[in-house]
Amino acid sequence: MQIVSVENLSIRYNSTDVFSGVTLAFNAGDYVALAGPNGSGKSTLIKAMLGLIEPAAGSVRIFGASPAGFTDWQRVGYIPQRLVSFSPYFPATVKEVVSMGLLSGKKFPKRLSSKDSAAIDRALSLMDIAALKDKKIGELSGGQQQRVIIARAVINEPELLILDEPTTAVDPETREKFFGVIGALNKSNGTTVILITHDTGSAGKYASKLLYFDRRVVFFGTFKDFCESPNMAEYFGPGSQHLICHRHD
Ligand code: ADP
């Protein structure tokens, strides 16, 4: 089943094409690393898929609907790259911040049920922050705040999770934990994951498919196919090709 697809998609800012004629589809259960140089259109592609940018031409389908007509946004989780840094005086506790992930999908009255409280506890222990539940978020370290943001994004068990890889301000342990949790969601829940990454060297350790985008689809397929592709050997040079594919130990 296709979760998101674009057909012949063209995006233009101020009459300049960022890309044109892009066609691709992400299937249920895919764990896609989306890589490419800075300014190559990765975020723009994601924004178009989420209906945040209007296509100049072509079409987008998300869960079978056009983004404009799609209303089930709690099926989609998004973790931004740049974390909001909470002021030490921000009044909300960890539990309250994570519960916002649930409330955003609710109609009024926005109250938490006991089922919701159980879901909050599950998300907190998944991220190893159960002990921080009643702490003010602004008093936590950057790495701990990151875990809270991830807990908030996964609490609804979204079917599609889009992440901008956090590259800065995250300690190695949180980073490993982050990839561990995302990988587990993908495997056990079948969550479709799109991970925008700047780290082509390690994406292959986690993801099952690579989309290499540079204002066009340079490559989209499994890491194994990437590794065996003569075109990619030519494009990247054989050394970099195998550094990226991570299929050799
Ligand atoms: P990436 O995510 O791969 O770094 P982006 O999608 O952010 O790339 O940007 C692709 C291109 O579109 C870049 O040349 C960027 O300068 C341009 N761009 C991005 N957002 C805007 C905008 N809001 N207005 C005009 N140009 C933009």
Side-chain angles (χ1 to χ4, degrees):
M1 189 187 112
Q2 293 185 350
I3 300 286
V4 208
S5 61
V6 303
E7 204 174 313
N8 251 320
L9 183 69
S10 302
I11 300 288
R12 200 167 291 157
Y13 289 122
N14 315 319
S15 73
T16 311
D17 274 354
V18 182
F19 53 78
S20 63
V22 170
T23 296
L24 53 85
F26 300 124
N27 295 323
D30 276 351
Y31 185 161
V32 180
L34 168 51
N38 266 339
S40 59
K42 303 181 295 295
S43 313
T44 301
L45 177 64
I46 293 299
K47 285 181 194 164
M49 286 176 169
L50 297 175
L52 301 171
I53 306 176
E54 195 60 35
S59 63
V60 177
R61 309 294 286 175
I62 180 158
F63 293 102
S66 80
F70 184 66
T71 49
D72 235 357
W73 289 105
Q74 67 269 28
R75 294 170 80 179
V76 182
Y78 174 66
I79 301 177
Q81 175 184 27
R82 219 172 284 284
L83 285 179
V84 199
S85 190
F86 291 95
S87 137
Y89 306 108
F90 192 75
T93 63
V94 168
K95 180 184 165 196
E96 285 162 348
V97 171
V98 173
S99 73
M100 280 152 62
L102 282 174
L103 294 170
S104 64
K106 280 185 194 279
K107 298 199 168 55
F108 282 98
K110 292 183 183 273
R111 273 194 223 108
L112 294 174
S113 65
S114 59
K115 200 167 133 242
D116 295 337
S117 300
I120 293 169
D121 288 343
R122 254 199 325 276
L124 292 176
S125 34
L126 188 70
M127 292 313 298
D128 262 349
I129 47 174
L132 304 178
K133 187 172 169 176
D134 299 314
K135 288 243 188 283
K136 293 270 195 312
I137 184 146
E139 292 168 1
L140 307 184
S141 71
Q144 289 170 329
Q145 290 188 3
Q146 170 79 354
R147 294 183 189 208
V148 176
I149 300 298
I150 299 170
R152 183 177 69 178
V154 300
I155 193 164
N156 287 317
E157 304 193 348
E159 291 158 70
L160 171 64
L161 195 55
I162 298 173
L163 323 116
D164 238 330
E165 182 181 345
T167 44
T168 48
V170 176
D171 55 278
E173 193 204 338
T174 300
R175 199 181 142 81
E176 283 303 309
K177 182 88 195 164
F178 174 84
F179 284 117
V181 169
I182 304 307
L185 283 172
N186 171 256
K187 285 210 174 60
S188 59
N189 294 8
T191 309
T192 307
V193 178
I194 304 173
L195 169 71
I196 300 184
T197 179
H198 309 277
D199 187 1
T200 20
S202 46
K205 277 198 267 183
Y206 310 104
S208 52
K209 286 187 183 170
L210 173 68
L211 169 56
Y212 194 89
F213 198 79
D214 192 359
R215 295 182 181 256
R216 67 182 177 93
V217 177
V218 174
F219 178 85
F220 184 40
T222 64
F223 279 87
K224 182 170 179 292
D225 288 345
F226 178 83
C227 183
E228 292 167 358
S229 158
N231 284 345
M232 291 302 107
E234 196 172 322
Y235 190 91
F236 289 95
S240 301
Q241 178 188 23
H242 297 305
L243 275 179
I244 293 170
C245 76
H246 255 282
R247 291 301 180 265
H248 315 271
D249 286 319

